[in-house]
Amino acid sequence: MEIKEIRVKSVISKSGIYGIEYSINPYYGCGHGCRYCYARFVHVLRGGDPRDWGKFVHVKVNAPDIVREEMYRIKRGKILISSVVDPYQWIEQKYELTRRILKHLLKRNFPVVILTKSPLVIRDIDLITKFRDIEVGLTITTLRDDIKQAFEPNAPSIDSRLNALRELVNKRIKNYAFIAPIIPIMSLSDMGDLLEELKELGVDRVLVDKLNIKAKNWITIQDALNEYFPNKTAEFWRKVKNEDYWFLVKKFIIRKAKELNLNVDFCY
C-alpha cells in the first residue's frame, strides 16, 4: 500500500447527492480495495489505472486546517463524510483527519452524515454525541465472509461493523445501515438474514443501492468473479443488465422489510 502525504487547497465540496449540500473527503484513495467501488472514477478521470484504486492512499494532511477556514465561507448545510473514500479507513487511526475535521464542524454545529465500513467510527462517539444533527451509517453488503473476501478484501470484518452499529444504537445515536451494493446472485443468498439481523440490532433505517457499473469497475469485478465465483460469471453479468431483476430484488426487500416492520429506502 502506497501512503503519501499531500496538501490541498480545498476540502469542502458541493454535493449532487439528494439532501446533501456538501461533502468532505479527508483522503484520496481508499485502503479497503473494494472490487465494486465506482469511486475509482476520480482516479480514472486523472488517467489512472482502475486496478490501482485500493492500492494507495494520499493523506490530505492540511484538510482539518482548510475545513476550519472554509466552513465560515459557506452557508450552513448538511455535510457528508465521505462521498468518495472511507473517512475511517485504517490510516485514520494514525492521522485522525476525520476526528479533527469533526471538531471544527462542531463549532458551527453543521448537520453531518457519516458513512463508513469501519468500527473505528466508535472512537469518535465523544464528539458525535455533541452534534445536534448527525447520522452515522455502516455499509454492510453481506453476512457471508466468502462474498466479503471476494469483493471487499481489505475492509473491516462483517462482525466488527455489526458491533459498531450495535454500539450506535445503544448510545442512541441516529444511525443507518447501508446495504450497498446489491451484488447480483450473491446478495440475495442472505438478504433476508441480513435484514433480520439489522432489525434485531434495532437500526433506525436501512438504505439500499444496487451495483453500479461505472469508471471501469467492471474490470476489478471480473477479477473477483474469476478468482472466487468463475461458474457464476455469465449469470452475474446477465442480471446486472436486467432491469426486471433489479425490480424483483427491490420487491423482495420491500416485502421482507414490511414483514419485519423495518424502515427501508432505496437509492435506485
Side-chain angles (χ1 to χ4, degrees), residues 70-89:
E70 289 185 323
M71 70 180 189
Y72 288 104
R73 301 176 193 159
I74 61 174
K75 183 179 178 181
R76 282 184 79 256
K78 188 165 288 187
I79 296 178
L80 172 62
I81 310 174
S82 296
S83 60
V84 176
V85 301
D86 195 315
Y88 286 99
Q89 56 183 297

Side-chain angles (χ1 to χ4, degrees), residues 85-108:
V85 301
D86 195 315
Y88 286 99
Q89 56 183 297
W90 64 271
I91 199 70
E92 166 65 15
Q93 194 158 2
K94 174 182 178 181
Y95 285 93
E96 296 192 352
L97 297 185
T98 300
R99 180 173 177 82
R100 289 155 57 198
I101 286 169
L102 285 173
K103 285 182 178 179
H104 291 315
L105 295 177
L106 185 58
K107 293 173 184 176
R108 282 198 67 192

Side-chain angles (χ1 to χ4, degrees), residues 26-45:
Y27 303 91
Y28 172 70
C30 185
H32 291 338
C34 298
R35 304 286 185 89
Y36 52 68
C37 181
Y38 63 81
R40 70 189 70 234
F41 76 87
V42 297
H43 188 55
V44 173
L45 286 174

Side-chain angles (χ1 to χ4, degrees), residues 109-232:
N109 237 306
F110 272 87
V112 170
V113 176
I114 294 172
L115 178 60
T116 180
K117 284 188 174 84
S118 174
L120 183 59
V121 67
I122 299 303
R123 178 201 65 187
D124 293 343
I125 277 184
D126 61 322
L127 295 175
I128 290 168
T129 52
K130 293 177 182 178
F131 279 82
R132 288 198 298 266
D133 185 357
I134 192 165
E135 185 179 31
V136 182
L138 271 292
T139 300
I140 302 176
T141 307
T142 178
L143 293 176
R144 285 177 48 182
D145 286 326
D146 60 334
I147 297 175
K148 184 267 178 194
Q149 185 56 39
F151 293 97
E152 304 171 346
N154 302 320
S157 70
I158 298 163
D159 284 345
S160 71
R161 294 183 234 176
L162 291 170
N163 288 336
L165 265 175
R166 183 178 291 107
E167 184 72 11
L168 294 169
V169 171
N170 290 341
K171 296 289 185 181
R172 297 185 179 181
I173 295 167
K174 191 176 179 183
N175 61 82
Y176 65 104
F178 190 36
I179 302 179
I182 297 171
I183 302 172
I185 308 172
M186 321 296 174
S187 293
L188 280 190
S189 66
D190 70 338
M191 181 63 71
D193 292 338
L194 176 53
L195 292 171
E196 288 177 6
E197 179 75 22
L198 296 175
K199 175 62 178 181
E200 186 177 338
L201 284 178
V203 297
D204 292 333
R205 70 185 182 107
V206 177
L207 189 60
V208 181
D209 199 6
K210 69 177 182 177
L211 178 67
N212 290 297
I213 305 301
K214 295 180 181 178
K216 300 183 180 180
N217 62 348
W218 67 267
I219 296 173
T220 47
I221 291 170
Q222 186 63 57
D223 288 343
L225 291 170
N226 290 342
E227 184 175 356
Y228 291 92
F229 307 104
N231 61 327
K232 296 183 178 179

